[in-house]
Amino acid sequence: LDTNFKGNRHERRVSKIKQFEEKLAPTYSSSGEGRIVILDHPLVRHKVSIIRDKNTSVKEFRELVQEIAGLMVYEITRNLPLVKIEIETPIEKTIGYTLEGKKLAIVPVLRAGLGMVDGILQVIPNAKVGHIGLYRDPETLEPVEYYCKLPSDINERDIFILDPMLATGGSAAAAISLVKSRGARKVTLVCLIAAPEGVERVHQAHPDVDIYAAALDNYLNDHGYIVPGLGDAGDRLFGTK
Ligand code: URA
């Protein structure tokens, strides 16, 4: 029975990965639909491997989550508009570029999303920060809002939702619905580790939302943990267990 169970799971896993490998190729070319972009960079892979390790300390885990989030900013801000400016170097006048000043906001989903905030603010210090708290209703198992504080001009900002572990996708999809219901128009989901199940659920609910992840893992186990994952991101960030 056990072997049979493993076999089924293995098949499920291989087919999910195949499905996503097929989907991954066009993700960098914008199609106007939600994309999944995996940060396939040696530094990111290196740091993600350390936070996966169960022996990594809370201190190191916290620092690395910030660093990875900071590295991800390069990719998530790739399309920020620039304007040309004239500058004068010590040698001659030339054309330079400056950010157009597009308004951004980051919105961590409590509590694990908090771990990514400072890493992102180091690179985009003028971003506003909202917060969303959700709990799971024990009967319906659906996410329910218990806290939501967002910048008042959210409709003028590009919103980056931070949720390190995209597992079932339930809370990420609910967080996206919440910011949209408050007026957000352009929403991006930024996570560290995504499971195929979560990517599917978010894109089903929000086909307009791009997802950025440092790694795409294999599947969810029966307890809702991402495999291989890194365990409970909140517990590992805050040293609770
Ligand atoms: N949340 C976590 O922190 N880890 C998982 O693996 C899944 C959800």
Side-chain angles (χ1 to χ4, degrees):
L1 188 66
D2 194 33
T3 316
N4 191 21
F5 177 66
K6 275 185 186 158
N8 287 340
R9 170 165 288 173
H10 178 71
E11 276 167 29
R12 233 187 321 150
R13 178 179 150 186
V14 168
S15 109
K16 285 262 184 210
I17 293 171
K18 276 214 174 111
Q19 216 176 306
F20 272 84
E21 275 172 354
E22 280 161 20
K23 260 188 141 184
L24 275 184
T27 53
Y28 279 90
S29 63
S30 176
S31 61
E33 292 188 350
R35 303 171 303 153
I36 164 84
V37 178
I38 308 301
L39 274 286
D40 183 19
H41 189 283
L43 281 176
V44 172
R45 282 192 169 178
H46 173 84
K47 290 173 193 286
V48 167
S49 301
I50 301 174
I51 60 171
R52 285 187 191 280
D53 188 335
K54 65 178 185 181
N55 296 314
T56 295
S57 70
V58 171
K59 174 180 178 288
E60 205 182 354
F61 187 91
R62 212 177 269 154
E63 289 167 357
L64 284 162
V65 167
Q66 303 288 6
E67 286 174 25
I68 296 165
L71 289 169
M72 292 182 78
V73 175
Y74 279 104
E75 205 54 47
I76 65 180
T77 56
R78 179 172 288 284
N79 295 320
L80 280 186
L82 294 168
V83 284
K84 277 187 185 167
I85 50 167
E86 194 180 84
I87 48 172
E88 197 167 350
T89 76
I91 312 299
E92 66 167 9
K93 281 190 178 165
T94 186
I95 295 295
Y97 296 90
T98 188
L99 287 168
E100 194 186 53
K102 196 170 182 55
K103 291 178 164 183
L104 306 175
I106 57 175
V107 181
V109 178
L110 303 177
R111 82 189 146 138
L114 292 175
M116 300 169 75
V117 170
D118 288 346
I120 294 186
L121 287 180
Q122 281 207 347
V123 194
I124 38 175
N126 291 322
K128 293 269 175 76
V129 185
H131 292 89
I132 288 178
L134 301 165
Y135 72 90
R136 188 190 283 223
D137 184 298
E139 275 167 25
T140 64
L141 301 182
E142 290 302 314
V144 181
E145 166 195 341
Y146 69 85
Y147 187 79
C148 181
K149 186 83 182 170
L150 301 170
S152 55
D153 56 355
I154 190 169
N155 59 327
E156 294 169 25
R157 294 181 177 272
D158 282 2
I159 308 299
F160 296 100
I161 304 244
L162 312 180
D163 198 359
M165 305 301 280
L166 179 57
T168 63
S171 58
I176 296 165
S177 298
L178 189 51
V179 295
K180 283 183 174 175
S181 74
R182 303 286 174 100
R185 287 178 297 176
K186 171 93 175 67
V187 184
T188 301
L189 175 64
V190 187
C191 34
L192 295 183
I193 299 190
E197 293 88 336
V199 174
E200 223 164 84
R201 174 135 179 213
V202 168
H203 275 161
Q204 251 169 29
H206 301 286
D208 56 316
V209 168
D210 287 342
I211 302 171
Y212 287 79
L216 179 65
D217 274 9
N218 299 337
Y219 63 96
L220 291 182
N221 70 14
D222 296 338
H223 304 286
Y225 282 98
I226 299 176
V227 180
L230 49 72
D232 187 300
D235 282 345
R236 297 204 59 192
L237 272 168
F238 297 107
T240 48
K241 204 157 185 206

